[in-house]
Each structure stands twice: as C-alpha cells, then as structure tokens.
Amino acid sequence: MTPEEITRKLGEVGLVNPLQSVAVGAIAYAGAFLMAIVAVVLSVVAIVVTGLGNPVDSALESVDMDQAEAGSGVASLLRLPFQLVAMATFGSFDVDGTIEGVSFGAGLRILPFGITLVMVLLAFYGGRFVQKRQRAGLLGIWTTSVLTGFGVALFTALSAFILAERVPAEAGASISLHAAGFDTFFGAFALITLSLALGRLTVRARRSWWPLVADLPAAFKLAVSHALIVTVLGLCGVIIVSTIQALIDGETPPMIYVLLLLPLIGGHVLSFVTGLDMLSAATANIDGAGALSYLMDGMNGTERATMFSLPWYTWLGGLLLGGLALLLASLLWQHQRRIVPHHVVSLGVSWIALPAAYFLGGLVLLVLSQASVVARLSGGGFFFGDMRIGASVGLAAWTPLLAMMAGVIVELLSRFVAPFLTPFLPSAALSWFRRPLAPAAAGVTSGAVGAAGASSAAGPAGSGPLTYSAPLAGAAPDGGFSLAPSAQGIPTDINADGVVEAGTVSAQHAGQAQAHEAVPTSADGTAAAGRYATMPIGATAGALSFAGAAGAAGAAGAAGAGGAGGAAGADGSTAEPGAAGNSTGKITAAAASLSPRTRKLVLAGAVVVGAGIVLVIGLIVTFVVLSNTVFSPEKRVEAYLGAVQAGDAEQALEIAAPNVPTAQQALLTNDIAGAAENRISGFEIVGSEESGSKSATVTAKVTQDGVTTTRTYRVDRSGRTAVVFPDWTMAETEYATLALMIPDGAATLLVNGQEVAVSDLDTSEGYYAPAAVLPGQYTVTLPESSELVAAVESVAYVSADPDDWYELYAAPGYSLSESGMEEVQTQVDALLDECATSTEESPDGCPFRAYAYGVVEDSGSWTIDSYPTVEVEEGEEGWYFGSSSSAGAATYSYQKEGWGSDDEPTDETDESSFSVSGTVTVGEDGTMAVEFDDGWW
C-alpha cells in the first residue's frame, strides 16, 4: 500500500499523524521550563531583597562546602528548573542515601502551580489548534494524546534524574537530590494526556444531546472564575492594607515577597484565600516517630486556623468579600443561561451542575494547598533507632463540602434573586462571562414542524422537549453542510450529526434539510440524533411557541405551513424558541411574559427567599461578631484585667481564682485590693492564639506605675453560654504571694487599713503567713494598743511582672514611744530597788554582786549608788535593753566575822559597778513587762 492509501485507511478509522500532537507536548514542556526559569530568577530576587546575599553561597556555607565540591552556583541554578518542572507534575524533591550503615532520606512535596498552569494551558490550547487542522476522530484524539503524554512524562522524569543535584559525601560517594519518580511520570502523563485530549475534544461538533448537559462545563468555568475573583480581590485588599501599614512602620511591604514567589506559591495563595473565605480552616500537622517523637514532646499534633483567627477587620472584610462574590457568581450564572424545558436530565443537571463543580473545585483546592516535608533516619544505633519526622500544611478535609454549599447558594441566588437584579446592570458587566461550548437555541425548519402534522413534535405548551421530526443534513462531502467556523473555532449551523451548533439555520440550509429525507450519519458512523430546543432559565413552557410568519397573532405565513407547534416564515426560514417570524422571513424575539398572578407569586417568593438569605447571613455575621468580641477569650482576659485595675478582687477571683488554699486568699478582698495604691493603670490585648478549638493563649500588655509588662493568660473553652455562644474560662492564673511576718503574740494585722485576724491566715509556716495578692502597694501594720508603743508599718510593692516577685514580704511591728522608753527605765530602776532589798552578796536574778567573805548572816544590805541608763533596741520578738555605755553603781554593807572566836565582827563595805540587760514586751492590753537576762553585762 502506498503512503497515501495508508493515510486514507487510518483516516477512515479516525487515526491521524501524531507528530503535531507530539510537537504540542514539546511546546508545553518548553513553556513550563521557561516558567520554571522565571520562578528561579524571581526567587533569587526575593532572597536578595531580604538581604540574605547569594542564596547558593549561603546554602553551601551552611553545610561547610565550597562551590568546587558541589558545582558552581550557575550550574545548580540551571539544573533547578528541570526539578521544578518535575515537581509541577506532582513529583517530590527527594534525597536518599546510606553513610556508614546509617540510612537517611528526606522529601519535599509542593506544587509550583504557576509552572503546572503554563504546561496545562499550552497543552489544552495546542490541542485545539491541532484539532482544527487535523479533524481527528475519537480514536485518533486519544491515541495521539496518550503517545504525547507518555513522551513528555518520560522526558520529564529522565531529565530530572539525569540533571540531579550531586552533593559530595565521604569516600568519593555522592548524594543525589532530584524530583524524578513514579509520581512524576504518572503525574506528567495524566496532565498532558488529559489537557491535550480535552483541548481537541472541545473543537469537535457537539452531539444532539449537548443542550441537556451544557451547564456542566459552564459550571466548572464559573467555579474557576469565582475562585479567581475572590483571590484577586482578597489579595489586592491584603496588599493595600499591609503595604500602608509597612510604610507607616518604615518597613518593606511584606507582600512584595509573595508577589515575587507567585510562580511557586500561586496555587497556595489561590487555595488558602478561597478556602478561608469559604469558612474553611488552614491546618498544620507535625508528627514524629522514634527518638524524635520523644525529643519533640509538646510539638506533635495538628493546629488549625480560620479566617476568624485573623484581626477582626480582616475577617469582616473577608465575609463581605465572600458575600459579594457569591452574588456576583449568581449573576454571571443566570446571564444568558438556557436549558431544555420539561426534560428530567436537563432539569437534574441544571440543579446539580454547580454543586458538583464546586465540590470538585474544593478537591482541587485541597491538592493545591498541600505542602509537606518528611525526613527519616534508620540504623542509628540503640538510642536513635528508626526515626521519622513529618510536617505538612493545607486546607481542612471538609473544604469540598463547604465549596459544595457555596455552589448550592449560588444556584439558589441565580434562580430567585439574580433575575431581579440583572435588569439594573449593564449587559457589558456580565457579558464577559461566556459559557464554554454553549449551543444556540434550537431552530425549527418548515420541514420539521409544519402543515404535515408536526404538532406531535412541537406539541402544546408543557408537553415535553421539542425536537425535530426529521434530522437535518446538508450536502457537504463529510455528511454536513459547508460550514464557516465561529469566532471560537467551533462549526456553526448544522454539523454532520444534524445538530445546530451556533447561529441560526439559513433559509438555504433549511431548504436543503427539507429535501433531505434520509437519516445521515456523523463522521464516526453513529446515527445523528434529534435536536433539543432550549429556553432561558426561569421562563415558562408556554413561552416556547413557534410563531408563524404572519405577524403578532402567530398565524401561518404566506407559505401556509403551520400547525399547533409553530410555522416557518414565508421564505422558508426557521424560527427560534420564543421567536416570531414576520412577512420577510426574519426572526424576531418574542418576550416570554408571566401572568400577573404568577408574577406576584414569583416576586413574593423571591422576596421571601431573599429576606431569608439576608436573615441567615445577618445571623451568621452577628453570631461570628459576638463570638469574636463579646464572647471571645480576649474578653475574658479583659474582664479579669479590668477587675484587677479597679481593685475588684472578688470579681477577679470569680474569673480566675489562684490555685492556693482559702487561708492564703485572705487578702483578696475588695476593701484591701481597692485600697492598694499603684495598681495597674491600664492594659491592652495585643494578641490571641488558639490551640485547637478548646483553648487559647491571650497576650496582654499591662501598665503599672509607668512600666509596661507583657503577660500571657491561658483561656479554656468550658461549654456554651446563651445556648449558642462559646463560654470561656481562664485557666489557673498565677498570683503574687506576699509573706506576712507576724510578731509574737499579735492577734490582728492591719492591711491597707483593714483588719485581718491572724487566725484567718495560713500560719502553718510558723513565723510568717503567705497570702495571694493582686498587683499594687500594700501597707501592713499592727493595731495601736498602748501609749507606750507606736506601730511601725511595713510597705510591700507587688509588681505586675512575675520576674519581680522574689522577696515579697511585709514585717509590721511596734516601736517604743518616748513614754515607753521612760517606762522601761522606771521598771529597770524598780527591779534594781527590789534587788537591793536582798541581804545576799549575790542576789538571784540581779545584775550586781559583792566580793565578800565571812559575812555574818543577815547582816548585809545593798545601796544603789547610781542607776544605769538603759538603751532599748528592737529584736525579733520584742525589744532588748542594755546599759553598756552607762553602768550603775551599788554598795554592799555587811559585818565580817573575826579571825578568832573571841574577835568581834567588823563592819565592811564593797562597792561595785554593774550593767543591766533584758527584754521588754508589751501585751495586747498595753501593759509593759521588763525582765533581766541571766548573766552579767
């Protein structure tokens, strides 16, 4: 067989030359590679902007390598785009190796969405370009797409493996870092094959059943448009706010780094902005195994953050953006929408198309948001063993369900709200959204519905889908009419299947169809089916009348063709559903009107539905606002700090009681705390971080006496209040402890002027009593009990900073008054006088003595020549007195026995000086007691 014959035989079964498709695959890879180079350059710029210097040199220095060992920086940058393209096809950037019996490995998985998007778009539109020139059948499309996908996948994996980054190791070995793998191969194969095949399929003429499912591709386009609208508007808002704030603070706007890294993290920006605006949550997970799990104690687990974790103005703007995006999507969805009436498939698809497309879009968001890193080590000996650590970020698993709910809301808004808003909008505001591959309304020829009794096909209003009684066909060599492509490159008028693809059927084609009785076949040999008529969504079946050519009354035209279903114009032209012919055969639109009663019912239903939606949105916003303001964990801390500032100790105790015995809470009263000076003068909540949904850590700046201290408080969720709102309880709060030194015998203390019974304090420690107190200044003293003593107060300053809570004590006491000093001297003199009544040369308990021998019994007597002047000092348990600087003098007079029995006693005297010492105590009744110490001064 000649090459021409082979080509013709292959063409008969739909096979074509695959070289053009292979060229498209090569272009798709080249485009992705160029985008990877752009991403690398922008990443380097971002790193340089941060002031980190040359990123290659920095990386090599961190592992103690020079460029001669690891290759030049330029070579590394040239190899990196190949790895990025591999990662863009769902590959993982991995490293594995074994050194001295220890196996290790690490992997980074992140989808550089900008590179993936370029590859997919080039394959898709390249497929459309090729199909317009080759006209391949289904077999040819899938064959060439599979061959191209296999070739690109093989090249992607091999290039990533061959151009891996080599890192020298010990003994001349090296470690390879690359993104080649089975996931890379199959990912590239799926992306190229599906994109190329879908691009080619979109150029083929649609089947006659296309109007039944036309909402499906449009729904996917709307879901993408919705996500882009939310992302672009949300990103613009964040850029504006963050840039203004950065300029005010004199810093570099942080969003410049995000914009530079968009080719790499664009998918994450799209997914997180869209997902969080749909009230989903961003999740971060860290887990470890082996020794790492022990070392990471407290770090394992999952953390979640929602839009409401951001400042209130951010999530409020996000709510407004989300609501506006839903409304805009509903307007776009309602604009120029047509369905086949009274057909169960069409009606079912019209309801499920958006929820299904949004659900699949939610799955795509999950994939785009994922980023993970994992490292493992095995064979590290007894202590280390097998270890693994992994971390990942992404959207919550319930994101697709939330996206599906958004699709349901858009569908409802498009049916019950958008029709009332569309008339007030200029058509240009919505016409930019074009439904992909949407067919025009079905035309009806004079041969299809006419005097020949075609009323069974058209039928009365509401009888079922309107179809042609006979398929339409032309005389073109391929089984259809000679067609001119539309602006989108899609065949217009009637294709080989007898389907009206776009525009209207001309009078010439209508005549051809009327004369063509045989049922034609399509290019792939299948029988052509009938054509479904469509109508705008929301119109009534009665509006689908086919008016005749005789004017407004709908009578038959000059040709006389008519019937219950409709008629053709005088020149044999066709009419569209909801259109009327005129005497010239031209088609004019006939408005589908509602009866006054139906109009009122629709309007009332729209008002009710709209009011219900507004009410639900209002309730949601109210709930969120109240939950994040009035019933937020921050408010709990504000209430506590407000009580501390006001000296309301009882309220502070109710909000956050210290974990101490009741006896140690004796000073936490409003009278004592309210009378404290130098309490905190102000506070500001500066941050809040939730740990899951059960607890939060609130950070506050507290000002006291001009000094600002940062404090953190943990708040736990303890249920709900007012049925629906979260109830937060402050966890165990640290209080300062003031040690009260209690004098011996004291029964009452005065704290800030308030009496506190010593029996109410915790005196288990003995000489002091610990007591919890709020920040402030506390004056502790003893009650006045006598004119002999004066109370000495002790002042303790309790700071709001826990670092200053060391050596907090108060030591109240008494000091002797002037009268008290005189009383001590008087009592000392009295004690000495009492001692002088003794006849002994060394009176017991007295400070003086005489050196006398042979004293005649009871002959001695004491005389105080001068009294010592005492000095009093305060001690731990009262006062001590002494006379070391002013001694007293006394004389002992006595009779001394003679040396012989006949000798008479002689009178003798002995003079001595003495000092006194002792203790002074004052009882609760104000009486003073003075006692001499044992011993001599």
Side-chain angles (χ1 to χ4, degrees):
M1 297 179 66
T2 64
E4 292 77 9
E5 291 176 337
I6 295 176
T7 302
R8 183 173 57 81
K9 290 291 185 181
L10 293 176
E12 291 177 355
V13 296
L15 294 175
V16 293
N17 190 336
L19 291 181
Q20 295 188 32
S21 295
V22 173
V24 169
I27 292 173
Y29 184 90
F33 184 81
L34 292 176
M35 191 63 188
I37 294 177
V38 173
V40 171
V41 173
L42 293 179
S43 300
V44 171
V45 172
I47 295 174
V48 172
V49 169
T50 60
L52 296 180
N54 187 319
V56 176
D57 290 340
S58 301
L60 295 177
E61 289 175 2
S62 65
V63 294
D64 194 22
M65 297 181 187
D66 55 29
Q67 293 185 353
E69 293 176 316
S72 68
V74 175
S76 298
L77 291 178
L78 290 178
R79 288 191 291 267
L80 185 56
F82 291 96
Q83 308 304 328
L84 288 178
V85 174
M87 295 177 69
T89 58
F90 305 101
S92 175
F93 192 65
D94 298 328
V95 56
D96 292 282
T98 301
I99 298 178
E100 295 183 355
V102 178
S103 300
F104 61 90
L108 170 65
R109 187 178 296 276
I110 184 173
L111 185 69
F113 180 66
I115 303 173
T116 306
L117 183 63
V118 170
M119 176 180 284
V120 170
L121 290 180
L122 287 176
F124 177 83
Y125 285 102
R128 289 175 58 87
F129 179 83
V130 171
Q131 181 64 19
K132 291 175 185 178
R133 286 153 180 78
Q134 280 193 330
R135 299 290 179 182
L138 287 177
L139 181 60
I141 289 175
W142 285 108
T143 301
T144 56
S145 298
V146 168
L147 288 175
T148 302
F150 180 83
V152 173
L154 187 61
F155 181 82
T156 301
L158 288 177
S159 61
F161 180 77
I162 294 173
L163 297 173
E165 184 69 38
R166 310 291 179 180
V167 179
E170 295 183 359
S174 64
I175 302 172
S176 297
L177 289 81
H178 59 79
F182 287 104
D183 48 0
T184 301
F185 177 84
F186 288 108
F189 177 78
L191 286 177
I192 296 298
T193 300
L194 295 179
S195 300
L196 181 60
L198 184 60
R200 302 194 67 161
L201 289 173
T202 57
V203 181
R204 284 174 53 86
R206 266 76 66 203
R207 296 291 185 177
S208 59
W209 43 261
W210 178 259
L212 301 177
V213 296
D215 270 352
L216 285 175
F220 286 105
K221 182 175 181 179
L222 182 69
V224 174
S225 301
H226 190 168
L228 290 176
I229 290 172
V230 171
T231 301
V232 171
L233 294 181
L235 194 60
C236 289
V238 173
I239 290 174
I240 293 173
V241 174
S242 62
T243 300
I244 293 175
Q245 185 63 46
L247 293 177
I248 293 175
D249 297 337
E251 300 175 351
T252 302
M255 292 305 295
I256 189 174
Y257 306 115
V258 176
L259 295 177
L260 289 173
L261 296 176
L262 270 182
L264 296 179
I265 64 172
H268 295 83
V269 173
L270 173 69
S271 58
F272 281 112
V273 173
T274 306
L276 293 178
D277 198 63
M278 290 190 302
L279 306 184
S280 183
T283 63
N285 180 71
I286 300 178
D287 62 82
L292 283 176
S293 180
Y294 173 79
L295 296 175
M296 292 170 54
D297 184 32
M299 295 181 61
N300 287 323
T302 301
E303 296 290 337
R304 292 185 176 89
T306 66
M307 181 171 60
F308 303 109
S309 303
L310 302 173
W312 67 269
Y313 51 84
T314 303
W315 59 255
L316 183 58
L319 288 178
L320 294 176
L321 174 61
L324 291 175
L326 290 174
L327 182 60
L328 178 58
S330 68
L331 293 172
L332 295 174
W333 186 238
Q334 191 270 343
H335 181 62
Q336 295 184 349
R337 186 183 183 191
R338 307 180 70 90
I339 64 171
V340 177
H342 309 297
H343 196 288
V344 64
V345 174
S346 178
L347 295 177
V349 169
S350 72
W351 279 104
I352 68 173
L354 269 187
Y358 273 64
F359 180 82
L360 293 177
L363 292 177
V364 173
L365 292 180
L366 280 182
V367 175
L368 294 180
S369 67
Q370 289 298 313
S372 62
V373 60
V374 63
R376 62 173 179 80
L377 180 68
S378 61
F382 174 77
F383 178 74
F384 292 102
D386 293 337
M387 297 185 297
R388 182 187 61 82
I389 181 174
S392 64
V393 295
L395 287 174
W398 55 83
T399 301
L401 298 179
L402 294 175
M404 183 177 66
M405 293 176 60
V408 172
I409 293 174
V410 171
E411 181 66 48
L412 293 175
L413 290 175
S414 70
R415 292 176 183 261
F416 301 107
V417 177
F420 297 94
L421 300 179
T422 303
F424 301 98
L425 299 175
S427 59
L430 303 176
S431 59
W432 61 269
F433 178 77
R434 301 174 60 188
R435 292 178 172 269
L437 314 180
V444 180
T445 68
S446 58
V449 182
S455 60
S456 61
S463 63
L466 301 176
T467 63
Y468 293 110
S469 58
L472 302 178
D478 59 354
F481 294 106
S482 299
L483 309 175
S486 66
Q488 294 178 318
I490 302 173
T492 57
D493 294 337
I494 305 172
N495 64 13
D497 294 334
V499 178
V500 179
E501 288 301 323
T504 57
V505 182
S506 66
Q508 177 185 1
H509 288 168
Q512 294 173 351
Q514 187 175 5
H516 193 79
E517 299 297 335
V519 177
T521 58
S522 60
D524 57 1
T526 60
R531 171 64 171 165
Y532 291 96
T534 62
M535 61 175 286
I537 189 73
T540 60
L544 290 176
S545 60
F546 297 92
D571 58 354
S573 62
T574 62
E576 296 284 343
N582 55 30
S583 59
T584 64
K586 302 297 182 181
I587 298 175
T588 59
S593 61
L594 300 175
S595 66
R597 182 175 182 275
T598 304
R599 187 185 299 275
K600 291 181 180 179
L601 290 176
V602 172
L603 180 60
V607 171
V608 172
V609 173
I613 293 175
V614 171
L615 178 61
V616 171
I617 294 176
L619 290 175
I620 293 175
V621 172
T622 301
F623 170 77
V624 172
V625 170
L626 292 178
S627 296
N628 288 272
T629 54
V630 178
F631 299 97
S632 66
E634 294 90 340
K635 281 296 180 182
R636 203 63 177 168
V637 176
E638 284 183 7
Y640 170 74
L641 292 177
V644 174
Q645 181 180 3
D648 191 347
E650 296 173 2
Q651 178 69 15
L653 273 175
E654 183 179 346
I655 298 173
N659 187 22
V660 296
T662 303
Q664 295 186 21
Q665 302 179 23
L667 302 188
L668 294 175
T669 66
N670 289 353
D671 293 335
I672 295 176
E677 298 179 357
N678 289 329
R679 300 193 302 270
I680 66 172
S681 56
F683 61 88
E684 178 188 3
I685 304 298
V686 296
S688 177
E689 181 180 355
E690 291 194 20
S691 302
S693 60
K694 297 298 183 182
S695 64
T697 301
V698 179
T699 304
K701 287 187 175 180
V702 180
T703 302
Q704 181 188 27
D705 195 21
V707 179
T708 300
T709 302
T710 300
R711 295 287 308 273
T712 57
Y713 303 91
R714 202 188 81 195
V715 188
D716 296 328
R717 188 167 178 173
S718 57
R720 294 193 177 273
T721 182
V723 182
V724 295
F725 297 105
D727 188 20
W728 296 93
T729 302
M730 289 189 66
E732 179 181 325
T733 303
E734 187 179 10
Y735 280 66
T737 299
L738 178 63
L740 300 174
M741 306 298 180
I742 303 175
D744 187 28
T748 305
L749 298 179
L750 294 177
V751 182
N752 288 344
Q754 306 300 316
E755 290 190 0
V756 178
V758 173
S759 60
D760 293 338
L761 299 174
D762 182 6
T763 56
S764 59
E765 296 294 336
Y767 63 94
Y768 77 94
V773 289
L774 299 177
Q777 183 172 296
Y778 293 84
T779 301
V780 184
T781 186
L782 296 169
E784 297 286 352
S785 60
S786 170
E787 63 178 7
L788 302 178
V789 293
V792 178
E793 65 183 22
S794 178
V795 178
Y797 177 78
V798 180
S799 172
D801 187 354
D803 292 339
D804 297 334
W805 289 353
Y806 58 91
E807 295 185 0
L808 280 180
Y809 68 92
Y814 288 113
S815 65
L816 290 177
S817 64
E818 187 174 345
S819 299
M821 296 293 291
E822 294 175 354
E823 179 64 21
V824 172
Q825 184 68 59
T826 300
Q827 291 197 24
V828 168
D829 293 346
L831 287 177
L832 292 176
D833 289 340
E834 184 179 352
C835 287
T837 61
S838 175
T839 61
E840 300 293 331
E841 65 273 17
S842 297
D844 292 337
C846 294
F848 43 75
R849 64 174 298 176
Y851 294 94
Y853 302 96
V855 178
V856 177
E857 186 177 356
D858 295 331
S859 66
S861 64
W862 284 96
T863 302
I864 304 299
D865 299 323
S866 61
Y867 293 93
T869 301
V870 298
E871 298 174 351
V872 182
E873 294 182 358
E874 185 177 0
E876 292 184 359
E877 298 180 357
W879 296 270
Y880 298 98
F881 66 87
S883 63
S884 58
S885 60
S886 178
T891 300
Y892 181 64
S893 301
Y894 63 96
Q895 286 185 332
K896 183 178 181 181
E897 295 179 350
W899 292 99
S901 58
D902 297 331
D903 294 337
E904 293 290 330
T906 59
D907 294 327
E908 301 288 340
T909 59
D910 182 68
E911 297 181 358
S912 63
S913 63
F914 63 90
S915 298
V916 294
S917 65
T919 60
V920 178
T921 58
V922 178
E924 292 186 24
D925 57 356
T927 59
M928 178 182 290
V930 176
E931 294 183 359
F932 287 139
D933 285 339
D934 293 336
W936 301 96
W937 284 61

